[in-house]
Amino acid sequence: LDHAAGDLIVEAQAGTPLADLQAVVGQAGQRLVIDETVPGASVGGALASNAAGPQRMLVGTARDLLIGITVVRADGVVAKAGGRVVKNVAGYDLGKLMIGSLGTLAVVTEALFRLHPVPEVRRWVSVRVADPQRAHDLAQAVVHGQTVPGALEVAWPADGPGTLTVQYGGKPDGVEDRVGTARSLLGGDASVSEDEPDGWSSYPWRAGETGLKLTFVLSGLRDVLAVTRDVGAAVRGSAGTGVVYAALDRPDDVPAALDRLR
């Protein structure tokens, strides 16, 4: 509906595909820092499901980027909240209530977001990890290493070694320095790529599998990875914020897996 590049804001209807929105604001060197976790995801779908991918570590989730919203209530009344400036809420924040509500409270029709500049360069530093303790130790090293990563993701299959990936973005010189520091933290086996890894920003499940969202304190990564391996779940998510997603291929295993994970 509107892109005010000078103010770093964009307004879109809920049915707008995220990819189309990114293409429009990208012409001005800007981006909405919400990952397209499902191909073809829409603005309204991302808000209603509270979808968040790797970049949640950099600027947060949709809750932190949404500054205005228009919804239709069950009685047909159109309600609006927020506005075109970041600090615009006095009292109850209706917009945040809608995020993650899955359409049960109202239907989102329009949304207003704040934008961020597109980094000049991006780099992904990846290292293979063979056990939960190693993944935990390296994740802690990155989190406390003051390199300001844009994302810190773990991919942990149901069996076999996993991968820890750190993303950096910004000006070329600064990114190269931070990548060098990250490689020293992750060890000599770490590789650097200019392209995002396969499966980046996607969920770990396939059609027919059961998906779980797991949230935990950062110091709990080792235990989460160990238990998901014990219950046969594949994992992908943010080791830098303590939010990962797990996939179980047998529905009968879900109750016991939930008990173990909790």
Side-chain angles (χ1 to χ4, degrees):
L1 295 174
D2 183 37
H3 175 212
D7 296 326
L8 284 168
I9 60 173
V10 64
E11 184 177 11
Q13 292 177 314
T16 307
L18 278 174
D20 290 358
L21 186 151
Q22 301 287 19
V24 170
V25 301
Q27 297 174 11
Q30 298 174 358
R31 59 178 175 151
L32 174 61
V33 193
I34 295 179
D35 292 293
E36 188 177 350
T37 54
V38 176
S42 67
V43 168
L47 293 176
S49 62
N50 193 22
Q55 295 182 107
R56 66 181 298 142
M57 184 177 181
L58 180 67
V59 298
T61 65
R63 291 173 57 86
D64 305 286
L65 300 171
L66 183 74
I67 58 175
I69 196 168
T70 302
V71 301
V72 178
R73 302 187 332 197
D75 58 3
V77 173
V78 177
K80 294 187 177 184
R84 300 179 68 86
V85 294
V86 174
K87 294 184 178 180
N88 56 37
V89 177
Y92 196 79
D93 193 339
L94 178 65
K96 285 186 171 58
L97 178 66
M98 294 297 116
I99 296 174
S101 64
L102 298 173
T104 60
L105 303 177
V107 177
V108 177
T109 59
E110 297 176 11
L112 190 68
F113 299 97
R114 64 187 180 102
L115 303 170
H116 288 77
V118 174
E120 292 184 25
V121 299
R122 294 182 189 178
R123 296 290 184 271
W124 286 263
V125 186
S126 300
V127 65
R128 301 279 278 179
V129 286
D131 60 80
Q133 183 64 57
R134 179 66 173 163
H136 173 87
D137 291 343
L138 293 180
Q140 288 289 305
V142 172
V143 168
H144 298 292
Q146 298 182 345
T147 59
V148 194
L152 173 57
E153 288 288 287
V154 61
W156 189 247
D159 56 69
T163 306
L164 198 68
T165 302
V166 193
Q167 181 210 57
Y168 294 98
K171 295 185 179 297
D173 291 345
V175 169
E176 293 308 318
D177 288 344
R178 291 151 64 198
V179 165
T181 302
R183 294 191 69 181
S184 67
L185 293 172
L186 297 175
D189 295 336
S191 61
V192 181
S193 174
E194 297 181 7
D195 302 313
E196 62 184 40
D198 292 339
W200 185 260
S201 83
S202 65
Y203 295 125
W205 48 75
R206 298 186 294 266
E209 295 184 332
T210 300
L212 307 176
K213 180 180 180 180
L214 313 177
T215 62
F216 51 93
V217 294
L218 295 185
S219 59
L221 177 64
R222 173 185 57 249
D223 297 334
V224 168
L225 295 182
V227 174
T228 53
R229 176 61 56 86
D230 288 345
V231 300
V235 171
R236 180 183 297 276
S238 179
T241 61
V243 180
V244 301
Y245 300 89
L248 285 164
D249 59 0
R250 292 179 297 189
D252 291 344
D253 294 342
V254 173
L258 287 176
D259 289 340
R260 291 285 310 279
L261 287 161
R262 286 170 175 151

